[in-house]
Every structure is written in structure tokens, then in C-alpha cells.
Amino acid sequence: MGAYSPCPQVSAATLEVIQKEVLQKAVDGMRQEGFPYIGALYAGLMLTKDGPKVLEYNCRFGDPETQVLMPLVKSDLYATMKACTEGHLHTAMPEYHTDRAAAAVILASQGYPGSYSKGKVITGCEQACELPGVQIFHAGTKRSEEPVRGESVGSLVTSGGRVLAVAASADSLRRAVEQAYKAVQCVSFEGAQYRKDIGALGLK
């Protein structure tokens, strides 16, 4: 549960194949069938000896695969979104920081992806966000409607399985991963769990 970018294992040639043979063909196909796609689209892929294979398509900003890219966006994301809806995306293509890397670690509720409890008080987000390059994306959170364990009404509590994505950007993938995990240590809620190997493959 997490992601990192860029991915050193994926060559420029492989990225070009993904762009032309997977993403572009999917968009072209929807247009040809009378359903032109407007929005964000990404593919979940598995790299095999026969090339990239599609596991799924997704179209939301609530997954770590998308969230990890947000700290790397250099251009105005709103301008890109607006141009996309108005049919002239080519005038506001997104630009990215090519000299930086990012990592995102998901903090999940105990029991996820199975059954899990809700309403656990979350602390430390403010301290985590004070660290250089750190951003936190909320997913399974809400404000409490009644006091929880001595905390006042309106306290931040868990309300889902995937609770937070703790992301960090830095001038190298190693520093981004280290900073993301440093920020994770600032955040706390009962039963919190997270993977400890995000980015490990990219750092080999």
C-alpha cells in the first residue's frame, strides 16, 4: 500500500510502449465507440517478458498511484483540468519536476482489507506536514460528531480502511522514501498499519 515515482525499473522504451499501445489505444477506442473520455486515466500494469499487461484501469485521485504524482506537478493542475473539460488539453499539458522524486505510504486501519473498526482518533498530521516536502492526502478520515476518548467534537478520526496517504518529495528517491517514513512516524491512531518496504525495489 503505497507508491513511488519515478520508477527506475521502467525504461523510456517501455514507457513509450505503455503510452502508445495501452493508454492511447484505450482513449482512442472509447472515442471511436462514441464515448470520448474526459478526465484522469491510469492503468494498473504488470511488466512481463512479453511486455506490459493491463490489470485494471482507474480514473480517480484517491489512490497512491495518483497521489504520489501530486508533489511532482510543477504546472497549474487546475488549468490542466479546466482545459481537459473544455476540449483543449493540448494548451495546458501538465509539467512535472523531473529533478525530484516522491514516495507515498498508506496508513491503513487494523484489519484492512478485511473488517476494521472506525472512529479512532488520529494525531500528528500537523507535525508530519511541517517536515520538508511532506504532504498528507486524506481518504478514510472525518471529523468526529461527539467527543472521543477525551478529545473534543470535531477531532480527526478514522472512517475507512485506507486512512491516509503520507507523501514526501525530495531530490532523490532515497531521500523521498526516508522522508515519507519519517512523516509516518509522526502520525498515530489505534491499530494503524503500513508497509515498510515502499520504494525498496526502486532503491536496489
Side-chain angles (χ1 to χ4, degrees):
M1 296 181 290
Y4 57 94
S5 180
C7 185
Q9 305 94 294
V10 182
S11 67
T14 300
L15 285 174
E16 187 174 355
V17 170
I18 293 169
Q19 173 70 28
K20 292 181 177 179
E21 300 299 321
V22 177
L23 298 173
Q24 191 62 55
K25 284 189 175 181
V27 173
D28 291 344
M30 286 186 280
R31 184 187 301 111
Q32 291 165 8
E33 293 181 7
F35 300 97
Y37 187 79
I38 299 173
L41 181 70
Y42 74 82
L45 303 169
M46 180 176 288
L47 298 182
T48 75
K49 61 181 181 179
D50 298 318
K53 303 296 182 181
V54 178
L55 299 177
E56 65 171 353
Y57 283 102
N58 219 323
C59 56
R60 60 182 185 175
F61 283 79
D63 288 317
E65 294 89 343
T66 306
Q67 293 162 335
V68 76
L69 296 177
M70 294 300 97
L72 301 178
V73 175
K74 181 169 62 174
S75 54
D76 185 346
L77 186 59
Y78 171 77
T80 296
M81 290 179 167
K82 187 171 184 291
C84 186
T85 62
E86 295 174 348
H88 51 83
L89 176 59
H90 63 282
T91 65
M93 294 294 286
E95 299 178 7
Y96 298 90
H97 292 284
T98 57
D99 59 343
R100 295 184 69 77
V105 179
I106 299 297
L107 278 169
S109 296
Q110 185 176 21
Y112 179 83
S115 60
Y116 53 85
S117 58
K118 301 178 182 180
K120 305 300 183 182
V121 176
I122 304 168
T123 60
C125 288
E126 295 82 2
Q127 295 91 321
C129 288
E130 290 175 358
L131 297 173
V134 170
Q135 292 178 258
I136 293 181
F137 298 92
H138 291 247
T141 68
K142 70 174 187 177
R143 294 292 179 181
S144 64
E145 298 175 359
E146 55 186 39
V148 181
R149 291 196 172 186
E151 300 288 338
S152 61
V153 173
S155 297
L156 188 65
V157 298
T158 64
S159 66
R162 287 192 294 185
V163 179
L164 299 165
V166 181
S169 62
D171 57 6
S172 72
L173 180 57
R174 183 172 300 279
R175 289 192 179 94
V177 170
E178 290 173 351
Q179 194 73 335
Y181 277 108
K182 185 177 180 180
V184 164
Q185 296 303 312
C186 296
V187 182
S188 177
F189 58 87
E190 184 182 341
Q193 61 172 338
Y194 59 92
R195 287 183 58 158
K196 298 176 176 62
D197 61 349
I198 302 302
L201 189 60
L203 296 175
K204 284 187 177 179

